[in-house]
Amino acid sequence: MTNTIKNFAQKLLGLDNTRIPQTQLTEISEILSKHNFNINTTDLKKLLGLLKKKHLVDNICVASKNGSVIASTANGNSLKEAITGTAMFNYIKSEIPRSETILIKSNEWYMIMPYKNKVFIVRAPASLSTIEFNALAKEVEDRLSKGKSF
């Protein structure tokens, strides 16, 4: 009876009872502890390649909010990735104005997040936490904002 009331209250109040997957975090921490990722490079393509390895993702695309490609690791699909991602984000933002990050699970995770007038589109076998997604975006944005020539 107590569990029924508890479950009802959680659904009614919209409480989130999900837990952080500790085993996944432990595995990622072990992998990252064995590698040193020196991201001090002036080559944007190389930086994105290093960030792919560091964050264990398949593809990173950075686009302006109008869909033009700023940088991408997608071979030949950069423009399609940027246009699709920004169009999807703009549509969802128009329907749900307080949207911050969009996560779509298909065969892989498709994640979209705006960051400082840019849209970051990431494909990965596992979803990134909001903190990790922000860290990835911040690392790219820091390089772009410093005015380094890429």
Side-chain angles (χ1 to χ4, degrees):
M1 181 73 175
T2 305
N3 283 338
T4 305
I5 294 171
K6 181 180 174 184
N7 290 337
F8 176 74
Q10 286 178 333
K11 287 180 183 178
L12 180 68
L13 297 173
L15 299 176
D16 183 12
N17 64 351
T18 56
R19 292 191 171 93
I20 297 172
Q22 290 298 339
T23 56
Q24 186 180 17
L25 290 174
T26 303
E27 290 171 10
I28 290 172
S29 295
E30 287 175 15
I31 291 169
L32 293 177
S33 69
K34 295 176 184 175
H35 299 284
N36 182 16
F37 297 97
N38 183 2
I39 58 171
N40 291 325
T41 180
T42 57
D43 181 352
L44 185 56
K45 188 99 173 149
K46 186 175 180 181
L47 173 67
L48 290 180
L50 291 167
L51 291 174
K52 267 179 59 173
K53 291 177 185 174
K54 180 179 179 182
H55 294 281
L56 305 171
V57 299
D58 294 334
N59 187 34
I60 301 170
C61 182
V62 183
S64 63
K65 289 195 175 187
N66 68 3
S68 60
V69 180
I70 296 170
S72 178
T73 60
N75 295 327
N77 291 331
S78 302
L79 185 58
K80 180 181 182 252
E81 191 87 15
I83 290 171
T84 303
T86 55
M88 194 178 312
F89 182 78
N90 289 331
Y91 171 73
I92 291 172
K93 190 77 170 167
S94 72
E95 295 296 319
I96 308 169
R98 295 181 65 192
S99 300
E100 294 177 13
T101 303
I102 300 166
L103 301 169
I104 301 167
K105 174 70 170 139
S106 184
N107 291 333
E108 61 185 351
W109 282 95
Y110 187 77
M111 299 163 276
I112 307 169
M113 179 186 75
Y115 190 86
K116 295 197 177 184
N117 295 321
K118 294 174 187 65
V119 177
F120 286 78
I121 304 150
V122 173
R123 290 182 183 263
S127 65
L128 297 177
S129 68
T130 305
I131 294 168
E132 189 172 12
F133 204 168
N134 277 312
L136 185 152
K138 185 177 182 326
E139 288 172 313
V140 174
E141 184 61 34
D142 285 350
R143 293 299 163 89
L144 291 172
S145 68
K146 288 181 182 176
K148 290 190 175 189
S149 59
F150 286 108

